[in-house]
Amino acid sequence: MILTHLHYDHAGNFDRLSNARFHLQERELAYASGRYVQYPRLSHSFEAEDVCGIVRLNYARRVLFYDGDAEIAPGLTVHAAGGHSAGLQFVRVNTRRGPVVLASDVSHFTENMTSERPFTTALHVGDMLAGFDKLRAVAPDGDHIVPGHDPLVMKLYPAPSPDLSSVAVRLDVAPSVGAHS
């Protein structure tokens, strides 16, 4: 299980994945348990129990930590980006249409990246802007970058089956129109 970061909407429910190993940037755990979370402006994005859960999983030898970019498996890499959170990472995965970059919160919405206007919750705005550059550097083009929270993703990509419409999409096929046109 790749954890892009430990914010409450990207982590938790670890007990439901009893056999999983978790991939995380080491800086993220240091940030989520460090001095900056004393500030409500930053701590509101974390659930203390999720952070404690990762610590427990680490004691159980189920967390693999990274310090920067790494290959998880052939055709599957993680890339450190920071900005929104100290140890934020995004994922690049090879598909039949080529490499697809799952931006997670490096770019919440397509517009954040195309307009170079970072999302409002940020630890470091400069790192967030540099993260946009990094997304573009590892993707063949903008249509291969999938933002983390953009509702347009559900409109641009087809569902894998009719019963999964508005639940999941196929990212191994091109978007219906240019996502970054």
Side-chain angles (χ1 to χ4, degrees):
M1 175 66 60
I2 297 172
L3 297 171
T4 58
H5 58 305
L6 292 174
H7 285 172
Y8 68 86
D9 58 333
H10 292 264
N13 292 306
F14 303 126
D15 57 317
R16 294 175 181 245
L17 303 164
S18 59
N19 295 318
R21 295 191 62 144
F22 298 86
H23 301 264
L24 182 69
Q25 292 289 323
E26 188 169 7
R27 289 183 58 190
E28 184 65 3
L29 182 55
Y31 170 55
S33 60
R35 66 182 175 159
Y36 291 125
V37 294
Q38 69 181 305
Y39 301 109
R41 178 75 176 121
L42 297 174
S43 67
H44 81 279
S45 296
F46 296 98
E47 289 288 337
E49 189 51 40
D50 294 342
V51 177
C52 292
I54 280 293
V55 172
R56 286 186 201 97
L57 288 167
N58 187 36
Y59 273 81
R61 302 180 65 165
R62 292 181 48 207
V63 182
L64 299 168
F65 288 104
Y66 300 93
D67 181 20
D69 301 350
E71 183 176 58
I72 304 281
L76 179 65
T77 54
V78 292
H79 303 266
H84 176 63
S85 191
L88 179 63
Q89 62 184 350
F90 64 89
V91 179
R92 181 178 187 233
V93 60
N94 287 343
T95 71
R96 69 181 185 166
R97 75 173 175 119
V100 172
V101 177
L102 306 174
S104 183
D105 288 1
V106 177
S107 184
H108 284 72
F109 304 100
T110 300
E111 184 181 355
N112 292 129
M113 186 175 59
T114 58
S115 66
E116 295 199 346
R117 285 192 314 237
F119 191 72
T120 56
T121 300
L123 174 64
H124 193 288
V125 173
D127 285 348
M128 215 172 204
L129 292 166
F132 297 157
D133 292 339
K134 196 164 186 180
L135 289 172
R136 288 187 281 262
V138 302
D141 58 46
D143 284 344
H144 285 78
I145 299 171
V146 181
H149 291 273
D150 200 327
L152 288 175
V153 170
M154 300 302 285
K155 294 178 182 176
L156 293 172
Y157 296 93
S161 64
D163 59 318
L164 291 175
S165 180
S166 76
V167 175
V169 294
R170 291 186 54 191
L171 300 175
D172 63 329
V173 296
S176 59
V177 295
H180 295 82
S181 300

